[in-house]
Amino acid sequence: MRKIRVLVVDDAVVVRKIVTDTLAGDPDIEVAATAANGKIALQKIPLIKPDILTLDIEMPEMDGLQTLAAARKLYPHLPIIMFSTLTERGGSKTLEALALGATDYVTKPANVGSVSVAMQRIRDELIPKIKIFCSKVAGIQTSEKLVPKPSSKPVARTPKPIVKTILNQKFDILCIGVSTGGPNALAELFPELPGDLPVPIVMVQHMPPYFTKLLAERLTAKSPLNIFEGKTGEKLVPGQAWIAPGDYHMVLEKKVDGVYLKTNQEAQENSCRPAVDPLFRSTVSIYGPRTLSVILTGMGQDGLNGCQLVKEAGGHVIVQDENTSVVWGMPGFVARAGLADDILPLNQIAQKIIAKLKVGR
């Protein structure tokens, strides 16, 4: 087994040093080289032949987006992880980078003055992604690494028997869970859904603050549907979609006159906030067998427990297949648990959703 060769590209000396030292401390990774801007990076790629790039967005002379575009033409299969700031501008540039072909992104540690905190963030967020995207190259087994460490002890629960979805079941809500590779997957899915969809859509995309609002705006621009960042007190109506805001769980709450959104900052679940499981739990508690759920590409197993509840209630579960997923973690866990009613390539999921929502209408 050989080490994963990483090229670290960042104009900030302090950030380069922190990233390099942290990556070098992992036995499976070696920093093959560093570069202070995109122009230097492009010159180094053919010389050092890295397995993966970490690429800063804001750089002088040749920034991250320009570098990404050039690298994609020359090295279409080279994994590239963008290193972005946790700001609105950083979020906008990150979404643009993903659309241009970036494999994924991580946000820079907010306080590089605290070296130990910054290094831990890199260990928790950057290193697992490097290993996932380079597992075949280095021969690393990543199946266990796809499972995040639980943030708290799991609640003991005796699984109920799985209820088979009723043949002519009518569905009244669509809930979606997605993570790594999600922005592009959603950008492909939503334009295929009609503007007069007869049910509301609620979804969790693992993203930090700023990013989710920008993602909702970008999806709305490409879709017949209106997509909003979720807020407490919003009433669900058919033909509209809400995405959980960064750093907040989003759940549903039934009132006399309808179903409403509610956000909170309770403890992380599956090392995530927002997390898919809280949304699915609250959805099932209100809609029961009328819940249509979709799990798309993503790392980890968030959504697995939620899909178990959907199936126990008699609802329907659709997951994205392995070939079209950037990472077959979230959908893979659901599929291997025997909870998926349909395992489909991304380009067939919209039509399956439309067909299921026509039943009973």
Side-chain angles (χ1 to χ4, degrees):
M1 184 180 78
R2 71 172 179 83
K3 292 188 176 185
I4 299 167
R5 294 172 56 78
V6 183
L7 173 57
V8 176
V9 188
D10 199 299
D11 67 309
V13 175
V14 173
V15 174
R16 266 202 321 272
K17 172 71 172 167
I18 291 173
V19 174
T20 299
D21 288 351
T22 308
L23 296 184
D26 190 284
D28 296 323
I29 296 173
E30 93 176 92
V31 177
T34 64
N37 62 49
K39 188 174 181 181
I40 297 171
L42 290 173
Q43 293 169 348
K44 288 190 175 185
I45 291 173
L47 300 176
I48 66 168
K49 295 180 172 56
D51 298 312
I52 192 167
L53 261 65
T54 68
L55 183 58
D56 187 22
I57 291 180
E58 304 284 353
M59 294 184 294
E61 194 163 356
M62 189 175 194
D63 68 20
L65 294 181
Q66 293 169 322
T67 308
L68 172 64
R72 272 290 162 258
K73 290 179 182 177
L74 297 169
Y75 313 100
H77 303 298
L78 178 66
I80 299 175
I81 298 178
M82 308 305 293
F83 219 38
S84 60
T85 54
L86 189 54
T87 62
E88 189 162 343
R89 177 178 170 80
S92 179
K93 293 288 185 182
T94 299
L95 291 173
E96 192 175 342
L98 293 172
L100 286 171
T103 312
D104 201 8
Y105 73 95
V106 295
T107 54
K108 286 187 176 183
N111 182 12
V112 292
S114 175
V115 175
S116 60
V117 173
M119 293 178 81
Q120 193 58 48
R121 280 278 306 278
I122 292 166
R123 291 188 196 102
D124 291 343
E125 298 183 22
L126 179 59
I127 288 178
K129 292 186 177 184
I130 289 173
K131 291 184 177 182
I132 288 292
F133 297 132
C134 298
S135 59
K136 291 180 181 177
V137 171
I140 296 172
Q141 297 296 318
T142 60
S143 58
E144 292 299 320
K145 295 182 177 69
L146 280 170
V147 185
K149 294 177 182 177
S151 54
S152 59
K153 290 183 179 179
V155 178
R157 184 174 64 84
T158 303
K160 297 177 183 176
I162 299 297
V163 179
K164 213 169 183 182
T165 306
I166 300 168
L167 185 61
N168 293 315
Q169 177 65 55
K170 179 184 177 185
F171 297 101
D172 289 331
I173 191 156
L174 170 63
C175 48
I176 300 172
V178 60
S179 184
T180 310
N184 286 347
L186 294 172
E188 183 173 337
L189 174 68
F190 269 86
E192 299 301 315
L193 297 175
D196 60 350
L197 208 70
V199 304
I201 303 172
V202 289
M203 57 183 159
V204 167
Q205 158 74 63
H206 295 155
M207 273 189 151
Y210 303 110
F211 289 47
T212 46
K213 180 176 180 292
L214 293 166
L215 177 60
E217 292 171 354
R218 286 180 176 241
L219 291 175
T220 297
K222 296 179 177 181
S223 168
L225 293 157
N226 288 317
I227 299 100
F228 306 96
E229 186 180 53
K231 294 179 182 177
T232 294
E234 292 274 342
K235 185 178 181 181
L236 297 191
V237 295
Q240 294 190 10
W242 291 265
I243 185 168
D247 201 31
Y248 285 80
H249 294 308
M250 187 172 76
V251 297
L252 306 187
E253 187 176 44
K254 187 168 179 58
K255 296 184 179 180
V256 175
D257 61 337
V259 179
Y260 289 79
L261 297 178
K262 188 175 181 180
T263 62
N264 67 67
Q265 287 191 304
E266 292 177 5
Q268 293 185 350
E269 293 194 28
N270 307 305
S271 301
C272 302
R273 190 173 64 210
V276 177
D277 281 340
L279 175 62
F280 279 32
R281 276 200 307 270
S282 67
T283 302
V284 171
S285 71
I286 294 171
Y287 291 93
R290 295 173 289 126
T291 303
L292 177 61
S293 62
V294 176
I295 298 291
L296 301 175
T297 175
M299 286 176 61
Q301 61 177 355
D302 189 25
L304 175 61
N305 290 336
C307 287
Q308 173 78 28
L309 293 174
V310 172
K311 290 306 299 171
E312 287 174 1
H316 194 92
V317 176
I318 302 168
V319 302
Q320 185 175 350
D321 72 355
E322 186 171 8
N323 286 340
T324 62
S325 295
V326 174
V327 179
W328 208 53
M330 286 166 55
F333 273 107
V334 174
R336 286 190 292 269
L339 300 172
D341 295 287
D342 299 290
I343 303 173
L344 300 171
L346 180 60
N347 63 6
Q348 293 181 22
I349 291 177
Q351 289 307 310
K352 174 59 73 171
I353 290 170
I354 293 167
K356 299 304 292 184
L357 294 180
K358 282 182 179 177
V359 176
R361 289 183 169 83

